[in-house]
Amino acid sequence: MKKPVTKVILGIFLILIIGLFIRPQKVIYEAKISGKVIDENGIPIKNASVSRIEEKRWKNKKWGYEEHSEYKSQTVKTDQNVNFFLDQKSRIDWFHTPLDLPFAWCYADFEVSKEGYKTYKTKFDDYKSYRKEGCYACEEIEFKPKITLKKNSR
C-alpha cells in the first residue's frame, strides 16, 4: 500500500519540478541596435553591411553533446547618412530556471563589413539587471554604437 502512495507523491513532485523549468511563457528579446559607421579618418561609410549575429544550438545525436554555431539573422546596409538600424527581435524560450525571471542579461552581437575594409565583429556583454512587469531581457533596450572600420592594408 505504501508503494503506490510513494509513487504518486514522487510523480507530483516531479511534475512540479519540471513545471519550474519548462514553460513556453518566457519571451526573450534581442536588443535594438542603431548606430553609425565611419572610417579611421571619421569619413562616413555608406552601404556598409551590418548583420546581427545569433547562436543556434543543437544536440549531436551521435555523441550526445550540445553543439552551437553562429549565424546572421538580420542584415542591413548603412543609409545615406551612414546610419543603420536592426529591429528588436523576440523568441520564446522553452527552457529556463526560476532564477532567470527577475534578471535580464542584455547583449547584442553584430558585425560590420564593407569591401576594402576589415570586417569588424563586436560583442556587447552589457548586463542590464532590472525587473519590469511583463518585460524580459532586452525589451526596450537599444545599443547605439559608432563603429570605426579600418582599411585593408593590401
Side-chain angles (χ1 to χ4, degrees), residues 39-66:
D39 72 6
E40 299 163 293
N41 300 317
I43 298 171
I45 301 176
K46 295 178 187 171
N47 293 318
S49 294
V50 182
S51 301
R52 182 187 298 274
I53 305 296
E54 292 189 61
E55 193 171 74
K56 186 186 304 184
R57 294 181 176 273
W58 66 93
K59 189 168 188 167
N60 182 308
K61 291 179 183 177
K62 183 177 179 182
W63 301 105
Y65 59 86
E66 192 171 287

Side-chain angles (χ1 to χ4, degrees), residues 108-141:
D109 296 338
F110 60 95
E111 75 175 28
V112 181
S113 61
K114 173 76 174 170
E115 190 173 323
Y117 295 89
K118 294 180 183 177
T119 298
Y120 183 83
K121 186 173 180 182
T122 186
K123 291 186 180 187
F124 285 100
D125 290 325
D126 295 335
Y127 297 106
K128 302 286 184 188
S129 185
Y130 72 105
R131 177 71 169 145
K132 196 167 158 187
E133 198 59 39
C135 296
Y136 295 103
C138 296
E139 187 175 26
E140 300 175 15
I141 299 294

Side-chain angles (χ1 to χ4, degrees), residues 59-120:
K59 189 168 188 167
N60 182 308
K61 291 179 183 177
K62 183 177 179 182
W63 301 105
Y65 59 86
E66 192 171 287
E67 295 182 315
H68 61 91
S69 69
E70 292 182 341
Y71 69 100
K72 295 177 183 178
S73 65
Q74 289 176 297
T75 300
V76 297
K77 299 265 188 194
T78 54
D79 62 17
Q80 293 297 94
N81 299 319
V82 300
N83 296 310
F84 64 90
F85 182 74
L86 294 170
D87 291 327
Q88 175 177 287
K89 291 184 63 188
S90 65
R91 63 181 163 79
I92 294 176
D93 193 2
W94 284 84
F95 184 79
H96 54 91
T97 68
L99 298 175
D100 290 341
L101 298 178
F103 301 103
W105 292 272
C106 189
Y107 62 92
D109 296 338
F110 60 95
E111 75 175 28
V112 181
S113 61
K114 173 76 174 170
E115 190 173 323
Y117 295 89
K118 294 180 183 177
T119 298
Y120 183 83

